[in-house]
Amino acid sequence: MLSNLEELIAESRQLAELREHRFASAIPLLGPMIAALRSAVHTLTARWPLRAALEQQTRFNRAASHALAELLVLNCRLLERIERLEEQMAELERAQGR
């Protein structure tokens, strides 16, 4: 179960940073010009507000990913402690049963 969490945290770290969309077009010959036009319109209308939002979301994603990693470490420590306490209880029960 914890190994799955480790994989999910690793994935969240890879996906934490958002990037701007790169425009492309599959139309033969005119495709590059269409993509350049779309990119230019995007630059004029939306790039600056979107860039600020992307940066803010990326910071949040990194913080959340870091928090998940810290929680996993804490969870592992607590599971180890529970296992030790269960072993101690079993020893006490055996000692009382003698």
Side-chain angles (χ1 to χ4, degrees):
M1 183 167 110
L2 291 180
S3 64
N4 188 35
L5 289 174
E6 290 171 349
E7 291 172 12
L8 292 171
I9 291 170
E11 182 179 358
S12 75
R13 285 185 171 156
Q14 290 175 350
L15 299 174
E17 186 173 340
L18 300 178
R19 293 179 183 84
E20 289 185 51
H21 177 73
R22 296 208 181 263
F23 292 99
S25 176
I27 297 174
L29 299 175
L30 296 177
M33 289 189 332
I34 293 170
L37 180 62
R38 291 177 73 194
S39 181
V41 169
H42 172 73
T43 297
L44 292 173
T45 60
R47 173 169 277 162
W48 302 114
L50 280 177
R51 190 173 279 174
L54 288 174
E55 289 174 5
Q56 182 180 9
Q57 185 65 50
T58 295
R59 284 193 309 273
F60 173 83
N61 291 351
R62 286 180 181 154
S65 180
H66 182 71
L68 288 172
E70 291 295 319
L71 287 171
L72 178 60
V73 169
L74 178 61
N75 196 13
C76 288
R77 288 179 185 157
L78 290 173
L79 286 174
E80 290 172 0
R81 186 171 182 194
I82 289 170
E83 289 171 359
R84 284 193 309 270
L85 290 171
E86 287 175 342
E87 289 172 5
Q88 290 174 357
M89 284 180 54
E91 287 176 17
L92 288 172
E93 289 172 355
R94 282 192 299 273
Q96 287 178 352
R98 289 186 192 172

